[in-house]
Amino acid sequence: GNSMEITPVKREKLYTWIIQALTVYEELTAREIADYLHKHNVIPLAIRQATAPRCTELVHAGRIEVCGSKIDESTHKRVSIYSLRGDE
């Protein structure tokens, strides 16, 4: 199958790690979260494609929020900055 396919268990694990990254650093982009997960051997490559969809899902689930945006240095595109919800 496609290596980017994700099982429910793996998805939950990524959610946990994304929330941990935001607990430690407070505000991160999907790429920065990917760097953190890669450093802890959670994902094989530090690419935002690994974390951006999960971040979007967590925002929709109300577990994290978009707190701003900035220009990504490598793509020069505007990217979202995520944080844990202020009310948690």
Side-chain angles (χ1 to χ4, degrees):
N2 172 358
S3 63
M4 291 304 278
E5 261 175 48
I6 188 151
T7 64
V9 171
K10 197 170 170 194
R11 178 179 276 127
E12 254 329 298
K13 183 183 177 190
L14 285 173
Y15 289 163
T16 303
W17 276 96
I18 290 166
I19 288 166
Q20 183 182 314
L22 290 171
T23 303
V24 176
Y25 291 102
E26 295 184 3
E27 296 183 0
L28 295 169
T29 65
R31 182 182 302 281
E32 290 163 346
I33 292 168
D35 285 337
Y36 180 87
L37 269 57
H38 180 251
K39 205 162 58 191
H40 291 82
N41 302 311
V42 181
I43 54 175
L45 294 168
I47 53 170
R48 67 177 299 280
Q49 291 91 311
T51 53
R54 308 290 80 84
C55 290
T56 302
E57 289 159 7
L58 284 169
V59 169
H60 290 167
R63 290 163 75 181
I64 68 174
E65 61 189 8
V66 175
C67 63
S69 65
K70 69 176 188 180
I71 301 295
D72 186 292
E73 303 86 50
S74 48
T75 62
H76 304 290
K77 289 198 171 93
R78 188 162 286 285
V79 293
S80 296
I81 301 170
Y82 299 97
S83 66
L84 298 177
R85 287 178 58 98
D87 55 11
E88 276 186 24

